[in-house]
Amino acid sequence: IELKSQELGIDIGPDREVLGRVVDRVKDLESHGYTFEAADASFELLLRAEISGAKLHFFTVDEWSTTVDKSANGVVTSRASVKITARGKSYEATGTGNGPVNAIDRALRTGLESIYPELAVLELTDYKVRILENTGNTSARTRVLIESGDGAQIWGTVGVSDNIIDASWEALRESVEFKLSQT
């Protein structure tokens, strides 16, 4: 963890208690399927939260939903809507995409770009899914790793859930939070 914190330019300082909390938190998350080797931004957000005692707070997600439809002519369309609160105001936004994750990404950024114009350059560059534990039938614990960029840097985030879209949402949300933390 010391090497990672030096690479990130974050000073943990001499406080062994903070270091212990970080190690305990990472171990706990890894026992639930998280990994931080390819999720440097998720790790940095975790580290900042443990050092300050609070998560960064740019927006609150009140609700999100997504649908996927296939028309009679075979066209598949994904739509998403989000309700968010940022800077004391509520926003609703929708997005369409080539899949539910792309639609959620567009809806989230559409809702936030009027407040945070720096999100206009944010781009999802890679998306990886790993099934961690098959619980039978079609349900499984899923890890999603997302790589995002803004033209100047690239970073990774991770989400874990029993629902692939929820895991994707978690990783997308952290990607946006990380971008906002850099400005």
Side-chain angles (χ1 to χ4, degrees):
I1 290 178
E2 288 179 37
L3 176 61
K4 274 278 195 186
S5 66
Q6 289 169 357
E7 290 173 6
L8 298 172
I10 297 172
D11 182 17
I12 294 176
D15 189 347
R16 295 293 228 179
E17 187 177 314
V18 171
L19 185 56
R21 283 196 320 263
V22 169
V23 170
D24 289 346
R25 184 77 177 125
V26 168
K27 284 181 182 179
D28 179 55
L29 288 169
E30 286 181 343
S31 75
H32 289 95
Y34 289 80
T35 184
F36 295 98
E37 285 93 25
D40 54 333
S42 290
F43 180 76
E44 182 172 333
L45 291 171
L46 177 149
L47 193 59
R48 288 175 187 256
E50 289 300 326
I51 291 169
S52 70
K55 291 181 89 173
L56 294 174
H57 189 76
F58 296 100
F59 60 92
T60 301
V61 179
D62 303 314
E63 184 179 313
W64 62 266
S65 66
T66 184
T67 60
V68 179
D69 301 309
K70 185 173 183 177
S71 67
N73 63 359
V75 176
V76 177
T77 305
S78 296
R79 294 178 185 83
S81 64
V82 297
K83 292 179 183 177
I84 52 180
T85 303
R87 294 188 177 159
K89 292 185 179 182
S90 294
Y91 298 87
E92 291 187 38
T94 60
T96 58
N98 60 7
V101 175
N102 184 235
I104 290 172
D105 178 44
R106 287 184 179 185
L108 177 62
R109 288 190 294 120
T110 297
L112 290 172
E113 280 180 10
S114 64
I115 314 165
Y116 301 113
E118 59 270 35
L119 294 177
V121 297
L122 181 63
E123 188 175 281
L124 190 151
T125 58
D126 197 10
Y127 176 84
K128 295 177 184 155
V129 176
R130 171 113 192 239
I131 303 303
L132 301 174
E133 115 189 16
N134 190 343
T135 56
N137 300 327
T138 57
S139 64
R141 190 113 179 111
T142 306
R143 176 191 307 135
V144 171
L145 292 168
I146 289 180
E147 184 180 89
S148 301
D150 62 4
Q153 65 177 358
I154 294 175
W155 59 89
T157 53
V158 61
V160 175
S161 177
D162 291 337
N163 180 298
I164 190 171
I165 304 302
D166 187 44
S168 301
W169 168 256
E170 183 182 344
L172 283 170
R173 180 185 43 76
E174 283 201 349
S175 178
V176 171
E177 289 172 347
F178 180 77
K179 171 63 181 166
L180 293 173
S181 76
Q182 302 301 298
T183 56

